[in-house]
Amino acid sequence: MRFKFCGDLDCPDWVLAEINILARLTSVKMKLLVNQVVKGLLKEEIDFQKVEKLTTDAKFDVGDIKASVAGIDFIISSATKHGVDPEMLSNELQQLGLPKEHSSALCKVYESKQTALHDESLRQSFRCSASLQKVDWKINPTSAGDERTVDIRLLLVDPATSKEETLSFTTASSKLKLLLYELNIVRNQMNAVHM
């Protein structure tokens, strides 16, 4: 069966297992847990102590807690990504076995935060996570008959946090030539589009 919140695909098996686990919570605690997960999706701090307290009555172990958070995260983020309205999401979750009260609780939170979730999803989708600041390279000596290799070191800086990250790798010179060739093709195609 295909579901809108899964992009008109079948629901992953692991999500089905998490729905079964989530059904052990009360609907009130489900709503509070969903609020915590949504806070995480909106890049706010999740109160993990609160999450643990919410799940103690249902006798969740650490694995169940992590799996439940991951399942709710998947449901909310996928519904946001695919633009599913809360009523449709509630119906689909009920078809998957989540009790009506639980799906209503989840969807109330989803509906109240839908615009913020959508905006955050767009912000994350169209972000430039790092800018290239510096490239260092070195051609390695070869033995007779071996292909030359090149050590490359890239210095990347995250524009949001100014955090630096170094990415180092070694590649064969033939692969580097192929990469340069393909990048030139892409550049020419992009230039043709902008003319």
Side-chain angles (χ1 to χ4, degrees), residues 38-99:
V38 167
K39 282 174 71 174
L41 287 170
L42 295 175
K43 304 300 179 216
E44 297 174 22
E45 192 71 29
I46 296 177
D47 185 351
F48 287 105
Q49 289 179 341
K50 188 172 186 178
V51 169
E52 199 172 329
K53 284 180 184 176
L54 290 170
T55 57
T56 52
D57 290 347
K59 296 186 169 94
F60 281 20
D61 61 23
V62 174
D64 289 341
I65 294 169
K66 289 179 181 179
S68 297
V69 169
I72 294 169
D73 184 288
F74 176 83
I75 291 166
I76 299 288
S77 59
S78 293
T80 301
K81 181 169 97 176
H82 298 293
V84 178
D85 67 273
E87 188 176 328
M88 173 68 77
L89 180 59
S90 180
N91 290 336
E92 289 185 347
L93 291 174
Q94 288 174 51
Q95 289 174 20
L96 291 170
L98 192 65

Side-chain angles (χ1 to χ4, degrees), residues 131 133 154-158 161-167:
S131 63
Q133 295 296 307
L154 308 174
L155 176 63
L156 306 170
V157 177
D158 185 336
T161 63
S162 298
K163 181 182 172 197
E164 292 184 355
E165 179 183 356
T166 302
L167 178 65

Side-chain angles (χ1 to χ4, degrees), residues 113-183:
K113 301 290 185 173
Q114 195 170 13
T115 303
L117 287 163
H118 182 263
D119 292 347
E120 181 63 24
S121 178
L122 283 177
R123 194 180 72 71
Q124 290 294 316
S125 297
F126 299 110
R127 67 186 164 113
C128 179
S129 60
S131 63
L132 181 63
Q133 295 296 307
K134 185 178 178 184
V135 178
D136 289 326
W137 56 275
K138 177 182 87 170
I139 298 175
N140 296 317
T142 62
S143 307
D146 289 340
E147 183 177 12
R148 286 188 186 265
T149 59
V150 181
D151 292 335
I152 300 175
R153 199 173 121 220
L154 308 174
L155 176 63
L156 306 170
V157 177
D158 185 336
T161 63
S162 298
K163 181 182 172 197
E164 292 184 355
E165 179 183 356
T166 302
L167 178 65
S168 301
F169 59 95
T170 303
T171 186
S173 61
S174 61
K175 288 186 178 182
L176 205 52
K177 287 177 187 175
L178 178 62
L179 175 64
L180 181 60
Y181 173 75
E182 290 176 346
L183 287 173

Side-chain angles (χ1 to χ4, degrees), residues 182-195:
E182 290 176 346
L183 287 173
N184 280 324
I185 290 172
V186 170
R187 183 186 63 198
N188 292 338
Q189 288 175 346
M190 290 174 68
N191 287 337
V193 169
H194 290 311
M195 290 187 166

Side-chain angles (χ1 to χ4, degrees), residues 22-34 99-106 109:
L22 289 169
R24 296 186 345 217
L25 291 171
T26 65
S27 60
V28 172
K29 290 191 178 183
M30 173 76 169
K31 184 176 181 179
L32 295 171
L33 181 59
V34 172
K100 183 175 183 175
E101 304 80 33
H102 291 64
S103 60
S104 294
L106 184 145
V109 176

